[in-house]
Amino acid sequence: AKAAREKAVQDSLALVAKNEADSVEACRYIKENGVRLYTSSSLGGIVQDEAAEGCRGHYRVIVGSFKDKANAHKKLTQVEEAGEFGSHFIRMRNGMIAVAACPSDRIQNVVWGLKELKTNDVCPADAWILKCE
């Protein structure tokens, strides 16, 4: 039993170390590639996040932000057709409708999602990351 507990502790420490290394790598990618990261409060706040009830995280990739609802729907449809990215709308207080994807609590997962989205024609070069507060 003691050996099993020690192994569990070692496994847990190894997982923490891997998560830390992955987070550092994600931050390096953001910096080196000029990916913008905004907090929701810096943009005036969120009115409605369609993923909030089943929310899987505080971070999201934003593949477009639109005043016109039809344009937002067009972009959302493109992302949905590209794959399983958890795409949804976020209505901002500034009147914009953001098309969001890849929700996660882990920045490394969002960066991985951004990289995957960039392999599709639906992700603009100026896609950015939103941290929901």
Side-chain angles (χ1 to χ4, degrees):
K2 183 178 178 182
R5 280 193 305 272
E6 287 179 20
K7 182 174 179 351
V9 168
Q10 292 304 316
D11 290 348
S12 180
L13 290 172
L15 181 60
V16 168
K18 181 180 180 342
N19 283 335
E20 183 178 340
D22 289 348
S23 293
V24 168
E25 182 58 34
C27 292
R28 183 177 298 124
Y29 177 87
I30 289 169
K31 182 178 179 181
E32 290 175 357
N33 291 280
V35 177
R36 294 171 293 148
L37 191 148
Y38 295 107
T39 61
S40 56
S41 62
S42 72
L43 300 174
I46 293 174
V47 173
Q48 178 187 14
D49 184 341
E50 292 187 356
E53 276 204 21
C55 185
R56 294 179 301 217
H58 299 293
Y59 297 98
R60 287 137 171 74
V61 175
I62 304 299
V63 295
S65 186
F66 306 90
K67 275 269 189 209
D68 183 62
K69 191 174 185 177
N71 289 339
H73 276 283
K74 181 178 176 183
K75 178 56 83 174
L76 182 72
T77 300
Q78 291 173 344
V79 175
E80 288 174 341
E81 289 174 354
E84 293 292 321
F85 293 106
S87 53
H88 60 282
F89 292 127
I90 298 177
R91 298 181 194 288
M92 305 300 293
R93 289 204 190 287
N94 64 7
M96 301 299 282
I97 302 168
V99 178
C102 308
S104 181
D105 280 330
R106 297 174 181 249
I107 191 70
Q108 60 266 37
N109 292 346
V110 172
V111 168
W112 177 84
L114 175 60
K115 290 177 182 179
E116 286 291 311
L117 282 163
K118 286 190 174 200
T119 65
N120 294 286
D121 291 334
V122 299
C123 188
D126 63 349
W128 48 280
I129 296 173
L130 176 67
K131 180 179 181 189
C132 300
E133 300 173 307

